[in-house]
Amino acid sequence: MIAFLDASALIYLIEGAAPLAAKARQCLRCLQARHGDLRLAVSRLTWLECRVGPLKTNDAATLAVYDAFFARPDLLTVEIGARAVELAAVIRAHRGLKTPDALQAACCLQLGAAHVFVTGDAVFDRVPGLQVTRIG
Protein backbone atom coordinates (compact mmCIF):
# COMPACT_ATOMS: atom_id res chain seq x y z
CA MET A 1 0.00 0.00 0.00
CA ILE A 2 1.18 3.51 -0.84
CA ALA A 3 0.17 6.59 1.14
CA PHE A 4 0.44 9.54 -1.24
CA LEU A 5 0.90 12.74 0.78
CA ASP A 6 -0.70 15.86 -0.61
CA ALA A 7 1.18 19.04 0.25
CA SER A 8 -1.40 19.95 2.90
CA ALA A 9 -0.87 16.63 4.68
CA LEU A 10 2.89 17.00 4.71
CA ILE A 11 2.69 20.63 5.85
CA TYR A 12 0.38 19.56 8.70
CA LEU A 13 2.87 16.84 9.61
CA ILE A 14 5.94 19.06 9.60
CA GLU A 15 4.69 22.59 10.33
CA GLY A 16 1.20 22.08 11.71
CA ALA A 17 0.02 23.39 15.03
CA ALA A 18 -0.35 20.72 17.71
CA PRO A 19 -3.85 19.48 16.82
CA LEU A 20 -3.19 19.17 13.08
CA ALA A 21 0.29 17.71 13.43
CA ALA A 22 -1.03 15.14 15.92
CA LYS A 23 -3.91 14.24 13.60
CA ALA A 24 -1.50 13.82 10.68
CA ARG A 25 0.77 11.54 12.72
CA GLN A 26 -2.23 9.54 13.97
CA CYS A 27 -3.53 9.15 10.41
CA LEU A 28 -0.20 7.72 9.26
CA ARG A 29 0.03 5.44 12.31
CA CYS A 30 -3.44 4.05 11.55
CA LEU A 31 -2.55 3.46 7.92
CA GLN A 32 0.69 1.75 8.97
CA ALA A 33 -1.22 -0.47 11.41
CA ARG A 34 -3.67 -1.52 8.68
CA HIS A 35 -1.02 -1.89 5.99
CA GLY A 36 2.27 -3.07 7.43
CA ASP A 37 3.94 -2.63 4.07
CA LEU A 38 2.94 1.04 3.83
CA ARG A 39 5.19 3.22 1.67
CA LEU A 40 5.04 7.00 1.46
CA ALA A 41 4.89 8.89 -1.82
CA VAL A 42 4.81 12.53 -2.88
CA SER A 43 4.72 14.28 -6.22
CA ARG A 44 7.27 16.76 -7.42
CA LEU A 45 4.48 19.33 -6.90
CA THR A 46 4.33 18.43 -3.19
CA TRP A 47 8.08 19.06 -3.06
CA LEU A 48 7.56 22.50 -4.63
CA GLU A 49 4.57 23.53 -2.50
CA CYS A 50 6.15 22.51 0.80
CA ARG A 51 9.35 24.42 0.15
CA VAL A 52 7.77 27.74 -0.90
CA GLY A 53 6.78 28.93 2.60
CA PRO A 54 10.16 28.34 4.23
CA LEU A 55 11.94 29.85 1.21
CA LYS A 56 9.77 33.00 1.41
CA THR A 57 10.48 33.49 5.10
CA ASN A 58 14.11 32.37 4.98
CA ASP A 59 13.27 29.63 7.49
CA ALA A 60 16.34 27.46 7.03
CA ALA A 61 15.43 25.12 9.89
CA THR A 62 12.03 24.16 8.43
CA LEU A 63 13.51 23.93 4.94
CA ALA A 64 16.11 21.50 6.30
CA VAL A 65 13.35 19.33 7.81
CA TYR A 66 11.59 19.18 4.45
CA ASP A 67 14.83 18.47 2.61
CA ALA A 68 15.60 15.61 5.00
CA PHE A 69 12.11 14.18 4.46
CA PHE A 70 12.37 14.44 0.68
CA ALA A 71 15.83 12.79 0.76
CA ARG A 72 14.51 9.65 2.50
CA PRO A 73 15.60 6.64 0.47
CA ASP A 74 12.25 4.89 1.08
CA LEU A 75 10.19 7.84 -0.22
CA LEU A 76 8.66 7.42 -3.66
CA THR A 77 8.64 10.65 -5.69
CA VAL A 78 6.13 10.74 -8.54
CA GLU A 79 7.32 12.93 -11.39
CA ILE A 80 4.84 15.00 -13.38
CA GLY A 81 5.10 13.68 -16.91
CA ALA A 82 2.85 13.81 -19.95
CA ARG A 83 0.61 11.02 -18.67
CA ALA A 84 -0.07 12.87 -15.39
CA VAL A 85 -0.73 16.14 -17.21
CA GLU A 86 -3.20 14.46 -19.59
CA LEU A 87 -5.06 12.79 -16.71
CA ALA A 88 -5.04 16.07 -14.75
CA ALA A 89 -6.68 17.83 -17.70
CA VAL A 90 -9.53 15.30 -17.65
CA ILE A 91 -9.91 15.59 -13.87
CA ARG A 92 -9.93 19.38 -14.08
CA ALA A 93 -12.45 19.42 -16.94
CA HIS A 94 -14.88 16.93 -15.40
CA ARG A 95 -14.45 17.42 -11.64
CA GLY A 96 -13.71 21.14 -11.40
CA LEU A 97 -10.45 20.87 -9.45
CA LYS A 98 -7.84 23.60 -9.77
CA THR A 99 -4.79 22.67 -11.81
CA PRO A 100 -2.44 21.92 -8.86
CA ASP A 101 -5.08 19.71 -7.20
CA ALA A 102 -5.83 17.92 -10.48
CA LEU A 103 -2.11 17.26 -10.92
CA GLN A 104 -1.82 15.87 -7.39
CA ALA A 105 -4.78 13.54 -7.95
CA ALA A 106 -3.40 12.42 -11.32
CA CYS A 107 0.02 11.67 -9.83
CA CYS A 108 -1.56 9.54 -7.13
CA LEU A 109 -3.85 7.69 -9.55
CA GLN A 110 -0.80 6.71 -11.59
CA LEU A 111 0.31 4.59 -8.64
CA GLY A 112 -2.53 2.15 -9.30
CA ALA A 113 -5.22 0.80 -7.04
CA ALA A 114 -3.00 0.19 -3.99
CA HIS A 115 -2.93 3.81 -2.84
CA VAL A 116 -4.43 6.13 -0.30
CA PHE A 117 -4.44 9.88 -0.92
CA VAL A 118 -3.74 11.67 2.37
CA THR A 119 -4.89 15.30 2.43
CA GLY A 120 -6.57 17.99 4.44
CA ASP A 121 -8.74 19.10 1.52
CA ALA A 122 -12.26 17.80 0.81
CA VAL A 123 -12.09 18.76 -2.89
CA PHE A 124 -10.38 15.45 -3.65
CA ASP A 125 -13.53 13.52 -2.71
CA ARG A 126 -14.82 14.47 -6.18
CA VAL A 127 -12.22 12.36 -8.00
CA PRO A 128 -13.47 8.85 -8.88
CA GLY A 129 -11.00 6.11 -8.02
CA LEU A 130 -9.02 8.27 -5.61
CA GLN A 131 -9.06 6.66 -2.16
CA VAL A 132 -9.06 9.77 0.02
CA THR A 133 -8.15 9.85 3.69
CA ARG A 134 -8.62 13.31 5.18
CA ILE A 135 -6.76 14.81 8.10
CA GLY A 136 -8.67 17.20 10.29
Side-chain angles (χ1 to χ4, degrees):
M1 176 64 75
I2 298 171
F4 182 97
L5 302 177
D6 179 36
S8 65
L10 189 52
I11 290 168
Y12 292 166
L13 192 64
I14 291 177
E15 296 182 64
L20 284 177
K23 286 180 182 181
R25 282 192 299 276
Q26 180 60 30
C27 175
L28 291 177
R29 277 195 297 273
C30 286
L31 288 170
Q32 180 69 49
R34 278 187 269 155
H35 310 282
D37 61 343
L38 187 71
R39 291 188 62 201
L40 298 180
V42 295
S43 71
R44 189 59 65 182
L45 182 56
T46 300
W47 181 91
L48 180 154
E49 290 181 331
C50 289
R51 292 173 48 88
V52 168
L55 285 169
K56 274 179 155 177
T57 60
N58 291 318
D59 184 350
T62 301
L63 193 59
V65 174
Y66 280 118
D67 288 346
F69 179 85
F70 292 126
R72 291 172 50 156
D74 60 332
L75 181 68
L76 175 62
T77 301
V78 181
E79 299 296 343
I80 301 172
R83 185 171 162 229
V85 171
E86 290 167 8
L87 181 55
V90 172
I91 292 168
R92 181 158 162 61
H94 296 287
R95 301 298 168 188
L97 274 69
K98 293 181 180 177
T99 298
D101 292 339
L103 283 167
Q104 290 287 58
C107 285
C108 183
L109 287 169
Q110 287 185 106
L111 297 172
H115 73 270
V116 116
F117 187 88
V118 182
T119 185
D121 192 344
V123 71
F124 293 102
D125 292 340
R126 292 187 266 178
V127 181
L130 196 62
Q131 300 174 51
V132 178
T133 296
R134 270 190 285 145
I135 298 168

